[in-house]
Amino acid sequence: MKLPSLPRFTMAEMLFSVKCFLAAVLSLYVASRVGLSRPFWAMMTSYVVASPLAGTVRSKAVYRVLGTLLGSTATLLIVPALANAPELLTLALALWVGACLYLSLLDRSPGSYVFMLAGYTAALIGFPNVQTPQTVFDNTTLRVEEICIGILCATVVHSVIFPKGLAPAVLGLLDGAMKHTRHWIQELLSTGAHNAGASAAHETPKPGGLSADRSLVAGDITQLRLLSTHIPFDTTNLRWTAGAVGTMQDRIASLMPTVSAVEDRLLALEQAEGGLAPDVVEMLGRVAAWQSQLDIHAPHAERARMHAQLREEIQQFATREWSLHGDWPRLLRVALATRLAELVDAWDACMRLRRDIDAGIRGERQQSHRLASLSHRALHLDHGMAFLSAFAAVLAICLCGAFWILTGWPVGSAATMMAAIFCCFFATMDNPVPAIRSFLKYLLWSLPLSIFYVLVMLPNVQDFGMLVAVCAPVFLLLGCYMARPRNMMAAMGILMGGFFGTLALYDTGTVDMITFVNSIVGQIAGIVAAAVVTALVRTVGVDWAARRIQRANWKELSELAQPTASARQLDAYAVRMLDRIGLLAPRIAQAGGKIDGVAKDMALRDLRVGADLVSLQRQNIPMESARIAGVLREIGRYFALRGSDSAGARLTPGLLAHIDEVLGYAAARPDSTPQWRGAVTALVGLRRNLFPAAPAALTSAASPEAAMTTS
């Protein structure tokens, strides 16, 4: 019989576990020495804020302190005022938790932890003090002191003892996004519209092809956005580059609609002319060669010269007379040149920012002019799902509180606390119930270990050194598993769910089997209540969530078609749309690769439409402003109906006729100003994205009817 092998941990995992344990012991010692009554709260807090990256520990420390102070203040205002009305007190605390959870879900950054913690901190302090409101101030003060000690000890240990900086992870994601974007651009420029044609015809994309690169870019940017919020707290010079990293994220995000538009214009030219003409292939080759030769370490003057030369070549390509090709191919070339120029400018800006980041890490002066980052302010927000999550938390807490009040259950406060915590922890998931069940399973797994400590180990502890020695095996082993993302949930469930609960009983001098069992039953009841209420009120399927994200795209497109849309709104839309693509990708994969009415390629098309809408509103073709306003109005009405899931949403033949009429007027103009090229590019893009099956020529009003699609 083969014996089970012992777990093998890396040096990094063991080092992380040792640092976590040292921080926990230090916080326990300090809290005990200053005479705090619940020193194990400090010890548990040191594990809550622990992370392999020092910058993450420091940011979580700041957020936890702020959240604790906010939640404690709310407790001091609510509990004494409603101490004589337990029903109102329960409702007030439940509403506070719900309001904080709602705000937390609308702040999709690590800073959302402030609101979430403020919510369930009030529950953790308030409910145990319902029967003794006269002690609420003392208990709240002790809670804040214990948490601050745990945070301080964890921050010191993880920042001083072999700190692990964010730079490798951040730069790895940043370079990964650049690599995947470069690969997408190079393959597109070298193969023309071949892969674009397969994508537009909805064929299965080749492995490792353009579609794969799009998904990888979206995934890299989403991960980078989450990680980069910790950069200002890093222990290295990386913290001085937060602005450049944020701006570079936005630049890469803005490349998505541009590259996708180039891809579509190449496909349109291939369809219109039976293949890519030599002049187009030559232009693509020059852009590809420029990108291949571009080096972030090259002298600034040399890079500027190469960039200016290529921009001049693109300008010449856009202003040539294409009388031999016809009006439609001419307009397609203008649109292609405009998007190529945008691609070149954006890629050059990314390279400058990447060099700037390297300079900042080395402590050198950063030369690039950086704009305020949009990445943390222009993300997809779902107010409806946030409200449902908050309502589920309020309902679960009220149900547990009602049962507690009606039965006089001594451990009813434990149930209400756990209901609040678990409704908050997993609220970002489409279906939080499996995660809540898993945590409950790990809590039950911890019971034998907890009972062993209650009955055997803790009663024999005589001093601080013995307590540390008794706890060390469990903490060190679970700390190693905490360093592994796939095992972190299990380790936290065992450690936080059961083991620290036992040590908290040791704090109060009530280490006995009866109290232990009652406490566990209360915790289980609260977790079950959170799971049941969440399943009934707030759980949604991945297909429903994906379609909801898609409808949010359409609603925003209807807003972009309004006269008030601005360039700043376009930049925000590009970031938000890329974020939505990142949200759609795992849901589509989870649904087996296909969801009716939802596709990543459709999301990219919507991204291009948004860029064209706002670009068109920035231009003005003389004597045609009323016609353009009509085009925008019809497009806005169409996407508004799609966003409301209306059965009457359809593209009309009249819209295609209006677009062709304006394009026909534009094609007849002899001038080629930047304003004219911008308007033509936007109109060509709208025609291609909204009517991809339309004949590849400017047609009369009769042709659009035959070309209509309902996509």
Side-chain angles (χ1 to χ4, degrees):
M1 183 178 68
K2 184 179 180 180
L3 296 175
S5 59
L6 294 175
R8 296 183 179 180
F9 301 109
T10 64
M11 287 297 298
E13 292 168 346
M14 290 188 288
L15 177 61
F16 171 72
S17 181
V18 169
K19 291 197 293 184
C20 287
F21 186 63
L22 288 177
V25 170
L26 179 60
S27 61
L28 179 63
Y29 177 78
V30 173
S32 300
R33 290 292 294 176
V34 299
L36 299 182
S37 60
R38 304 291 293 272
F40 278 106
W41 276 110
M43 191 178 192
M44 180 173 66
T45 300
S46 69
Y47 269 89
V48 171
V49 300
S51 172
L53 301 174
T56 306
V57 174
R58 293 160 68 154
S59 66
K60 288 172 67 176
V62 172
Y63 299 142
R64 189 167 181 84
V65 168
L66 294 175
T68 300
L69 291 174
L70 184 59
S72 300
T73 302
T75 304
L76 293 177
L77 294 175
I78 295 173
V79 173
L82 300 175
N84 296 325
E87 298 85 358
L88 292 177
L89 176 57
T90 300
L91 178 61
L93 288 174
L95 290 174
W96 171 259
V97 174
C100 290
L101 179 59
Y102 177 80
L103 294 174
S104 173
L105 294 175
L106 295 183
D107 180 7
R108 291 186 50 221
S109 74
S112 64
Y113 190 48
V114 173
F115 299 108
M116 182 183 295
L117 189 64
Y120 70 73
T121 293
L124 287 173
I125 301 175
F127 286 119
N129 286 279
V130 167
Q131 297 176 336
T132 56
Q134 66 277 8
T135 64
V136 66
F137 181 80
D138 293 337
N139 290 336
T140 301
T141 303
L142 290 172
R143 166 82 168 162
V144 173
E145 292 173 346
E146 289 151 2
I147 287 178
C148 289
I149 288 174
I151 289 172
L152 179 61
C153 293
T155 303
V156 170
V157 170
H158 287 278
S159 300
V160 173
I161 301 177
F162 299 109
K164 186 177 180 180
L166 289 166
V170 170
L171 297 183
L173 287 171
L174 203 59
D175 291 338
M178 290 284 287
K179 174 185 174 182
H180 297 141
T181 305
R182 180 194 290 270
H183 186 264
W184 180 13
I185 295 172
Q186 285 288 325
E187 186 172 354
L188 174 63
L189 295 176
S190 61
T191 62
H194 177 71
N195 286 342
S199 175
H202 304 290
E203 298 176 5
T204 302
K206 297 180 180 180
L210 295 181
S211 294
D213 288 316
R214 298 167 184 164
S215 299
L216 290 171
V217 172
D220 289 338
I221 291 297
T222 299
Q223 295 182 55
L224 183 60
R225 178 190 62 77
L226 295 173
L227 188 60
S228 63
T229 54
H230 302 292
I231 290 178
F233 302 93
D234 194 45
T235 55
T236 68
N237 285 338
L238 181 68
R239 62 182 180 273
W240 308 122
T241 68
V245 172
T247 304
M248 190 169 175
Q249 292 176 62
D250 297 338
R251 291 288 190 184
I252 298 175
S254 68
L255 274 168
M256 291 285 286
T258 302
V259 181
S260 182
V262 170
E263 183 180 346
D264 180 78
R265 297 310 97 86
L266 292 175
L267 172 62
L269 279 169
E270 189 177 40
Q271 293 173 343
E273 301 181 346
L276 294 181
D279 59 291
V280 177
V281 174
E282 181 185 2
M283 191 70 257
L284 297 180
R286 292 179 182 178
V287 176
W290 169 81
Q291 189 189 42
S292 299
Q293 297 169 5
L294 198 60
D295 186 358
I296 62 173
H297 302 296
H300 175 72
E302 176 65 16
R303 284 183 28 259
R305 183 191 63 78
M306 294 172 58
H307 177 241
Q309 180 179 348
L310 181 61
R311 288 287 272 110
E312 178 62 27
E313 293 174 355
I314 295 175
Q315 174 76 7
Q316 293 175 3
F317 175 81
T319 55
R320 290 176 189 168
E321 288 295 334
W322 303 110
S323 57
L324 297 178
H325 299 279
D327 286 339
W328 178 240
R330 176 197 173 203
L331 296 180
L332 286 175
R333 281 172 165 78
V334 171
L336 174 63
T338 302
R339 296 306 183 210
L340 284 175
E342 293 174 359
L343 187 155
V344 168
D345 291 343
W347 188 259
D348 184 69
C350 286
M351 298 297 285
R352 291 200 316 269
L353 287 164
R354 184 63 184 87
R355 182 200 60 189
D356 209 34
I357 292 169
D358 279 346
I361 292 175
R362 293 192 300 268
E364 300 174 2
R365 181 175 178 271
Q366 302 173 43
Q367 298 178 358
S368 297
H369 175 67
R370 293 184 300 278
L371 303 174
S373 174
L374 291 168
S375 295
H376 309 138
R377 305 192 307 275
L379 300 176
H380 171 69
L381 302 178
D382 193 329
H383 291 265
M385 288 303 299
F387 176 79
L388 280 180
S389 299
F391 177 70
V394 172
L395 184 58
I397 295 170
C398 287
L399 289 176
C400 290
F403 184 80
W404 176 25
I405 294 170
L406 292 174
T407 62
W409 188 21
V411 293
S413 62
T416 54
M417 288 188 299
M418 298 306 286
I421 291 172
F422 279 84
C423 284
C424 292
F425 271 1
F426 305 105
T428 57
M429 300 179 178
D430 292 334
N431 183 8
V433 176
I436 296 176
R437 288 175 178 170
S438 296
F439 203 96
L440 177 59
K441 177 182 66 176
Y442 301 136
L443 170 62
L444 296 176
W445 284 2
S446 72
L447 291 182
L449 179 64
S450 300
I451 292 172
F452 174 71
Y453 269 78
V454 166
L455 298 179
V456 179
M457 303 300 290
L458 293 181
N460 296 315
V461 170
Q462 302 296 325
D463 54 30
F464 182 81
M466 186 180 294
L467 178 62
V468 172
V470 165
C471 295
V474 176
F475 282 105
L476 290 174
L477 179 63
L478 293 177
C480 291
Y481 282 112
M482 283 177 58
R484 297 178 175 179
R486 67 179 182 276
N487 300 127
M488 184 183 67
M489 179 67 72
M492 293 291 286
I494 295 173
L495 192 60
M496 303 295 178
F499 198 63
F500 268 120
T502 301
L503 296 179
L505 294 177
Y506 182 82
D507 263 342
T508 60
T510 56
V511 187
D512 59 77
M513 194 62 183
I514 296 176
T515 306
F516 172 77
V517 171
N518 281 328
S519 175
I520 292 297
V521 170
Q523 293 181 49
I524 293 175
I527 297 173
V528 170
V532 171
V533 172
T534 299
L536 294 175
V537 174
R538 126 100 187 77
T539 297
V540 298
V542 293
D543 53 346
W544 186 90
R547 282 192 287 269
R548 186 174 175 84
I549 294 172
Q550 185 72 72
R551 285 196 298 272
N553 293 338
W554 294 331
K555 289 179 181 178
E556 189 161 5
L557 284 174
S558 70
E559 295 174 0
L560 289 176
Q562 303 304 315
T564 56
S566 64
R568 187 69 173 173
Q569 190 173 357
L570 169 62
D571 294 336
Y573 175 76
V575 174
R576 187 157 42 247
M577 191 66 201
L578 184 60
D579 178 53
R580 286 175 181 148
I581 293 173
L583 293 174
L584 285 172
R587 288 173 169 86
I588 294 174
Q590 188 177 347
K594 183 179 180 181
I595 296 176
D596 291 340
V598 179
K600 286 180 288 184
D601 286 342
M602 186 184 297
L604 272 176
R605 187 207 66 175
D606 292 341
L607 180 58
R608 297 195 301 266
V609 170
D612 291 329
L613 284 173
V614 178
S615 177
L616 182 60
Q617 298 203 66
R618 291 203 303 261
Q619 316 302 330
N620 179 38
I621 299 179
M623 299 184 296
E624 289 296 328
S625 57
R627 184 69 66 184
I628 291 176
V631 169
L632 292 173
R633 187 165 51 251
E634 289 190 50
I635 293 174
R637 185 183 305 115
Y638 165 71
F639 281 110
L641 290 174
R642 295 207 74 177
S644 61
D645 206 18
S646 172
R650 61 184 298 271
L651 293 167
T652 64
L655 175 58
L656 178 57
H658 290 166
I659 294 176
D660 280 351
E661 184 178 352
V662 181
L663 279 175
Y665 171 80
R669 291 181 62 84
D671 60 339
S672 182
T673 64
Q675 186 184 46
W676 178 87
R677 292 195 299 273
V680 166
T681 299
L683 288 166
V684 169
L686 290 173
R687 188 182 194 276
R688 285 289 306 162
N689 291 315
L690 298 177
F691 303 95
L698 297 180
T699 62
S700 64
S703 298
E705 297 181 0
M708 287 302 302
T709 66
T710 57
S711 62

